[in-house]
Amino acid sequence: MSGIFKAYDIRGVYPEQLDENIAERIGRAVVVFLKAKKIVVGRDMRPHSLPLFQALARGITEQGADVIDLGMCSTPMSYHANGKLGADASVMITASHNTAEWNGFKICREQAIPISGATGIADIEALVAKNEWPKPERTGTVSGYDIAKEYGEFLRSKARMDRKLKVVVDYANAMGSYEIGGIEDLFEIIPLYKKLDGTFPNHEANPLHTETLNALRAKVVEVGADFGAGFDGDADRCGFVDDKGQIIPMDLFTALIAQDILSEKGQGTVPILYDLRSSWAVKECIQENGGRPIMSRVGNAFIKAQMREYGAVFAGELSGHYYFRENYVAESQGLAMIKLANLICGKKKPLSELVAPLRKYFSSGEINSKVADVKPILERIRTKYSDGHMFELDGISVEYSNWWFNVRASNTEPLLRLIVEAKDKATMEEKRDELLKLIRS
């Protein structure tokens, strides 16, 4: 059981770290911690997701709560079901982009509000370890529910396309086929790796690793598609490529979706959150289109809480998570795909032309460095760059007139993560190397 309770979810290798016995206890713990009566449970296509579901459901029902079994679904579909069905909680059984031997649980309270290490995962861990349970008044029941039709109708209601765009979709043998199952007919789809296979025979289901998008990029160019979409394992993240097969950086994709949302919402002070690692171009684009850009810290639990605090309609994260108030302040890659198509149709321009004005700065991308002790390094950085505009929303961010950087500690590993952006390539490279030398010396 050691080490499976993470900052944002529960995740481990099956069955060495995470097995049916632990899953049953987690089911009980979720009921006790949340005082839940009705829990929505979905799962991905991994071979061990079904036995883990059966064990989890046993724990939930034996602790007196009812299970609504969604069967196989994407993670955004489980969030939608949580809110739509008025559940007290939801559990999605998935290890997302991790390789085949992994599995896990993403847990939310009502209205798809995520439970993180700070807001309940540590409490659930303590209950699981203690393994002593109050006697329930009753035994719960398990009933099935197919959320696919309602989720598809929800997505379709947001479409404003005037033609069928040609789209290459890399499903990564995973849950993307469920995520967009209800809207596939709105597009001319050229599929890659659509057959469900929890062993991921073609490539890792992780669009953050850009090499996983190579087949997608090539196919987009080959067939002359309007764009390409590459899903991760549970379809709560997606990587997009333009009509020329160029990868769209995930922060710039946030700016694209913001344009469609703001064209619909009208001018004013519509709050839109952007990850603090995002290009200056994102904030500028939101402002230019009449929105109110608000910087957010990294991590889905923090972003969703901040969206609720500010009443934000949308947020984008550099990791490819896109959050919509319309989907209970949670991810929906189907909605991201619809809104991108709306933008292309509305602007009457190819996607590469829509992205081009946003590609105006030079970014290092996020660079990880293993370090023995984070604190003294951060102190050296504070001292050296004290002449800039410094803020500590998440790690240390410093802005100058022609460049900026953010350095922050990993939540789970002895790592420092650095990102540098500048108005010219030479400055970006110079400052990147300067900071890396400071971090790694």
Side-chain angles (χ1 to χ4, degrees), residues 181-323:
I183 58 170
E184 284 182 328
D185 65 306
L186 300 182
F187 301 89
E188 180 190 339
I189 287 184
I190 293 90
L192 293 174
Y193 317 131
K194 190 173 183 181
K195 183 181 178 183
L196 292 178
D197 189 336
T199 68
F200 305 105
N202 292 290
H203 62 73
E204 181 188 14
N206 186 3
L208 263 185
H209 293 171
T210 53
E211 66 274 10
T212 67
L213 300 174
N214 287 345
L216 177 68
R217 298 174 66 189
K219 197 68 171 178
V220 165
V221 173
E222 178 194 326
V223 303
D226 292 289
F227 67 89
F231 287 99
D232 82 336
D234 61 335
D236 68 352
R237 293 189 298 123
C238 196
F240 290 89
V241 305
D242 68 19
D243 51 293
K244 293 183 176 178
Q246 300 173 110
I247 294 170
I248 302 170
M250 289 162 173
D251 53 346
L252 301 189
F253 189 84
T254 298
L256 292 172
I257 299 304
Q259 287 179 60
D260 177 65
I261 289 170
L262 292 168
S263 73
E264 193 179 19
K265 298 283 183 189
Q267 302 300 293
T269 56
V270 177
I272 290 178
L273 268 58
Y274 65 98
D275 179 335
L276 59 77
R277 301 165 296 174
S278 299
S279 171
W280 271 334
V282 178
K283 176 183 178 181
E284 292 163 0
C285 179
I286 294 167
Q287 287 174 325
E288 287 161 10
N289 285 273
R292 178 188 169 203
I294 301 171
M295 188 179 281
S296 70
R297 61 180 297 187
V298 178
N300 78 85
F302 300 119
I303 291 172
K304 290 172 180 178
Q306 206 172 335
M307 282 183 74
R308 286 183 162 90
E309 179 187 348
Y310 287 98
V313 296
F314 171 64
E317 195 174 7
L318 200 65
S319 55
H321 289 274
Y322 306 109
Y323 309 92

Side-chain angles (χ1 to χ4, degrees), residues 20-90:
E20 287 80 355
N21 175 48
I22 298 295
E24 184 174 332
R25 285 153 66 177
I26 288 169
R28 286 182 178 272
V30 170
V31 175
V32 172
F33 175 68
L34 292 176
K35 300 178 174 62
K37 301 294 183 189
K38 181 168 71 173
I39 300 178
V40 164
V41 184
R43 64 181 188 272
D44 71 13
M45 68 294 140
R46 294 163 195 268
H48 27 80
S49 291
L50 179 56
L52 287 174
F53 162 75
Q54 291 165 338
L56 182 87
R58 187 164 57 249
I60 291 170
T61 54
E62 288 181 359
Q63 203 54 48
D66 296 329
V67 171
I68 301 175
D69 174 16
L70 302 176
M72 280 200 292
C73 65
S74 68
T75 292
M77 290 167 75
S78 78
Y79 296 147
H80 192 78
N82 180 323
K84 187 85 175 174
L85 302 179
D88 302 310
S90 63

Side-chain angles (χ1 to χ4, degrees), residues 319-340:
S319 55
H321 289 274
Y322 306 109
Y323 309 92
F324 298 89
R325 187 168 67 190
E326 296 155 304
N327 194 39
Y328 302 96
V329 193
E331 295 93 326
S332 174
Q333 297 302 335
L335 200 49
M337 195 165 148
I338 288 280
K339 290 186 183 293
L340 179 61

Side-chain angles (χ1 to χ4, degrees), residues 276 378 382 390-397:
L276 59 77
L378 292 180
R382 279 191 195 92
M390 185 179 296
F391 54 95
E392 299 193 31
L393 176 63
D394 190 348
I396 298 171
S397 298

